[in-house]
Amino acid sequence: MFESLSGRLQTAFSKLRGKGRLSETDVNDAMREIRRALLEADVNHVVAKKFVDAVKERAIGQDILQSLTAGQQVVSIVNDELTRLLGETQAKLERSAKPPTVVMMVGLQGAGKTTATAKLGRFLATSEHRRPLLVAADIYRPAAIDQLVALGQQIGVSVWAPGATLAPVEIVRTALDEARRGGYDYVLIDTAGRLHIDDVLMNELEQLQQLSDPEEILLVVDAMTGQDAVTVAQSFHEALGITGVVLTKMDGDTRGGAALSVRHVTGCPIKFVGTGERPDALEPFYPDRMASRILGMGDVLTLIEKAQAHFDEDQAKILEQKMRNNDFTLEDFLSQLQQVKKMGPLDQLMGMIPGLGGALKHLPQGGVDEKPLKRIEAIILSMSPEERVKPELVEKSSSRRVRIAKGSGTQVKDVNQLLRQFGEMRKMMKQFSAMGKGGKRSMAGLKNRLGAPRMPFGGGRGKRSR
Amino acid sequence: MGIFDRLKQGLTKTRKTFQDTVATLVHRRSIDAELYDELEEKLLAADIGFDTTTALLERMKKEARRQSFQTADQLIPVLKEAMDEILTAQDHAMHTAAQGPTVILVVGVNGVGKTTTIGKLAHRYTLEGKRVMIAAGDTFRAAAIEQLAVWAERANVPLVRQAIGSDAAAVIFDAVQSARARQVDVLLCDTAGRLQNKSHLMDELRKIVRIMKREIPDAPHEVLLVVDATTGQNALSQAAMFKEVADVTGVILTKLDGTAKGGVILPISRELNLPIKWIGIGEQIDDLQPFMASSFSEALFSPQES
Ligand SMILES: Nc1nc2c(ncn2[C@@H]2O[C@H](COP(=O)(O)OP(=O)(O)O)[C@@H](O)[C@H]2O)c(=O)[nH]1
Ligand SMILES: [Mg+2]
């Protein structure tokens, strides 16, 4: 639904290219694109503004905006900053010196607290070999207690559920007794969902906190939350002093900008993310992945690093010139293929390419089939240097095609296919370079072409998997 | 408390925060770039989204030029009118069956308030003197059926249910049969929460619709997508996907009693042509109100009395 930031920046910068110095307005235009990407990802607008200012400063400070790869470099700065702001990888719960360690789960209605409580219980029991006790303290929502009890049964973890007739404070008090008596080392309290402006219920949480002296108070936040995430997080934090965040429903297609907002206003680490409805769908939080996700791109930073390690700027310039003049040949294609191969397994790379992130989800388990690549390489290697520069020679002569097919151990139809695809690719490049000279129309044309994801080297895409 | 008061009460916070800021913003100011920047921020803060916000700003700028506005407060009627236009472009009335039960299918992602809203709708239709029945179509989430059973009891209407883990489409089939046999006026069908990008779950929803149609060709008469007002721009993706899969006929915006402004209904309405039909303003059984486009934007702008 949204275009990726890197795509937009590339467009923005390609328009700027060849203009000599960039003006203040040019820079601001690029920054506006970054802001827009953040806003579309639901990063709070105040946070987005601060963030963009910081990026701008860094970009200007490093004097990179004049460089040929300014677009990429800005993306990498943005990604960098974002990763830094999102904090460290966290998948740990603090432990109290004197057991049991108490963890309170708090948040708005429907955020996913009950499910997250069960997931944490399962995580502690199976991965950490601890004995957690889940506490059903949501007496308000119909059947919330039943839900936790059912989940406890499913994962084989004990649940303290004296019922909805007891006040939450009483439920927690008795739960603590039970935990001490039963030698449990964690007490996970599932509290009712509440609005941060509901004084009565917020006060109830404060009482529970005083009573149970929790080691952790985890704010459970729906990853789809919009601008209000800031207000919500701030209110809960002010009232309780939360210690960490659980980000839920990350298996959806949300960009999850709320993560940045929440992190920004609370300073608390995101300790876990929920990635599905089942009790085992709980993962550690990876700031770098989250950053890429917010920006709507694959793991661009890694890709850029890899690309930087394998392509030098001179070569990139030559290549670009060739594309512009439309004299990109099969020889160049071959050397590109070989460079790409040096960078690592193809499916991994594809995951990093902006815009392909989504498409990649639908790849079959085995990943990308690299066979067609090898076939293409073999075909080109069986051509004479002249043929590589002038593929028309091959197109026109069936005897050449037969010869090449034989030489490469392929079939004539494979050779034909490669030539056809190469032709298309050249057409596409022509549009790319036209785009570099500006013009929305060609951009639209390019998009249409790219609409149905089609790689110049076909094959490898299987049926949809979950 | 009258309906209108409740609606107002539900919108009070929405209105207060939004209107406060917009009102103070335009108070005694001239129109300049800075003003537009600040207006943009306010609109974005309401989750209206980048594109719709930009469109609203363009509209204000155009009118300001055309009518040679002098002061910033002249922009407010323009903004209100533009929002109204978006929100009133579609038909907000609930469709009913010409004869036999009116089948209402309630869909949405996890935790938005589907089950609660069904309880509220059941109560409302009962008060209108209709014979109501509920179908427990969430056979997946732990205790979802029990939760709905509580609501059915509160609204005092029958519930058609099967065991957890059974086929949701089968439950719906049963319910449609039973609704016809018992001459029910309104059948409300709950469904499991599903994220819109999970194709197998969306296929299940397709199947539910298919089963309904097989039994009653013009069913479901309403497919209502529940959207949590706290949701950001992902609500657009939700609306688009659910519309594609289940022909959504309207949106219910819940949790408007919080501080979230629910502005995402503007792009939903504008880009996907979906009317907003109801709003949820609390967890009680009567915390549901019909959405009134004019009241909604009116409430956002009109002077505040409380
Ligand atoms: N404050 C508030 N809470 C609501 C509203 N509607 C539903 N809820 C709460 O949101 C939570 C999730 O609701 P539920 O009906 O179980 O959502 P479902 O998963 O979509 O069926 C429950 O705690 C409800 O009480 C509303 O309008 N306002
Ligand atoms: Mg439900």
Side-chain angles (χ1 to χ4, degrees), chain B residues 6-7 39 52 63 74 97 117 140 165 196 231 276:
Chain B
R6 257 192 179 283
L7 169 65
L39 271 173
T52 303
E63 287 305 312
Q74 290 175 284
T117 303
F140 179 78
Q196 70 274 17
T231 315
I276 319 303

Side-chain angles (χ1 to χ4, degrees), chain A residues 9 33 51-52 64 85 87 95 121 130 174 188 207 233 245 257 313 315 359 399 406 410 428 453 464:
Chain A
L9 282 180
E33 289 301 332
F51 180 83
V52 168
I64 58 161
L85 286 176
R95 262 172 75 191
R130 304 276 159 203
T174 51
L188 309 182
Q207 274 178 282
V245 175
E313 182 130 330
Q315 229 181 335
S399 64
K406 269 202 184 126
T410 61
M428 218 155 84
R464 244 181 120 129

Side-chain angles (χ1 to χ4, degrees), chain B residues 145-176:
Chain B
I145 300 171
E146 287 78 2
Q147 184 187 354
L148 192 62
V150 172
W151 282 108
E153 203 180 293
R154 286 182 185 169
N156 196 20
V157 302
L159 173 73
V160 175
R161 59 189 279 181
Q162 288 179 17
I164 185 166
S166 45
D167 181 13
V171 177
I172 300 296
F173 174 80
D174 266 8
V176 171

Side-chain angles (χ1 to χ4, degrees), chain A residues 109-110 141 195, chain B residues 109-117 120 141 147 190 254-257 280-283 287:
Chain A
Q109 292 98 337
R141 208 201 69 198
L195 289 173
Chain B
V109 300
N110 316 73
V112 288
K114 291 178 296 299
T115 305
T116 310
T117 303
K120 294 174 182 176
R141 208 206 66 197
Q147 184 187 354
D190 195 11
T254 59
K255 310 190 194 175
L256 262 182
D257 47 329
I281 50 172
E283 296 183 85
D287 286 335

Side-chain angles (χ1 to χ4, degrees), chain A residues 1-2 32 35-36 39-40 42 45 49 108-110 141-143 146-147 150-151 195-197 224-228 231 249 251-254 277-278 464 466, chain B residues 13 40-41 44-45 47 50-51 110-111 140-143 146-147 150-151 154 195-200 230-234 237-238 255 257-260 283:
Chain A
M1 181 156 279
F2 301 119
R32 193 173 162 81
R35 177 164 169 263
R36 178 176 179 186
L39 288 170
E40 280 175 352
D42 291 319
H45 69 105
K49 196 167 173 210
L108 295 180
Q109 292 98 337
R141 208 201 69 198
D146 297 343
Q147 187 186 352
L151 289 172
L195 289 173
H196 50 292
I197 49 171
M224 295 177 274
T225 311
Q227 297 289 314
D228 208 39
T231 324
K249 308 179 200 173
D251 48 327
D253 62 2
T254 179
E277 293 184 70
R278 312 233 171 230
R464 244 181 120 129
R466 286 228 292 112
Chain B
K13 280 155 222 132
E40 182 189 44
E41 273 174 25
L44 289 172
D47 286 314
F50 190 88
D51 290 342
N110 316 73
F140 179 78
R141 208 206 66 197
E146 287 78 2
Q147 184 187 354
V150 172
W151 282 108
R154 286 182 185 169
L195 295 174
Q196 70 274 17
N197 61 336
K198 308 227 159 166
S199 54
H200 62 301
T230 321
T231 315
Q233 300 309 297
N234 191 252
S237 153
Q238 293 169 21
K255 310 190 194 175
D257 47 329
T259 50
E283 296 183 85

Side-chain angles (χ1 to χ4, degrees), chain A residues 329-375:
Chain A
T329 65
L330 277 167
E331 185 78 57
D332 300 317
F333 186 32
L334 181 64
S335 88
Q336 274 224 298
L337 268 187
Q338 284 163 345
Q339 294 223 27
V340 167
K341 262 175 58 184
K342 269 194 286 175
M343 286 167 62
L346 196 58
D347 51 349
Q348 229 181 51
L349 287 175
M350 282 186 43
M352 299 175 197
I353 296 173
L356 275 182
L360 196 69
K361 278 194 216 127
H362 308 315
L363 283 176
Q365 272 298 301
V368 179
D369 183 5
E370 307 214 356
K371 260 190 234 136
L373 264 191
K374 297 217 176 81
R375 202 159 54 216

